[in-house]
Amino acid sequence: MRDMAEVVEVVETETGSPFAKKVRCKLGGEIIFDVRDKAPQNELDAEMVRLTAHLEIQHQITVEFHKCSDPNCLD
């Protein structure tokens, strides 16, 4: 299993937080996750589907992720 840092790069974080707002694919250069500050959960979910689909379809990389209810979680 590859570390996500090997294949994606956080280009921009949400204002005042460590959470990714814009993510670029290191393998192809495309922006594959792009949300606005304080995006609603449905927007975040849709962008995670886009990121996952891109990596699986374009690069045959399976991505596993989970939601955490802890507001301080950075995992």
Side-chain angles (χ1 to χ4, degrees):
M1 181 176 281
R2 296 174 86 168
D3 187 310
M4 285 293 287
E6 293 179 29
V7 295
V8 299
E9 170 188 23
V10 175
V11 177
E12 186 177 348
T13 57
E14 187 175 282
T15 303
S17 86
F19 298 110
K21 182 174 162 179
K22 189 177 285 192
V23 175
R24 180 181 67 83
C25 174
K26 287 182 177 180
L27 304 174
E30 304 95 336
I31 297 296
I32 57 174
F33 182 91
D34 190 5
V35 296
R36 55 198 158 110
D37 278 350
K38 307 294 185 218
Q41 189 61 52
N42 65 333
E43 186 177 330
L44 295 169
D45 291 344
E47 287 299 295
M48 280 306 299
V49 168
R50 183 166 78 124
L51 180 149
T52 301
H54 171 87
L55 292 174
E56 288 182 359
I57 294 167
Q58 297 296 319
H59 306 294
Q60 293 72 50
I61 296 172
T62 301
V63 175
E64 294 179 15
F65 65 94
H66 66 279
K67 294 180 186 176
C68 182
S69 59
D70 178 355
N72 298 313
C73 178
L74 298 177
D75 182 28

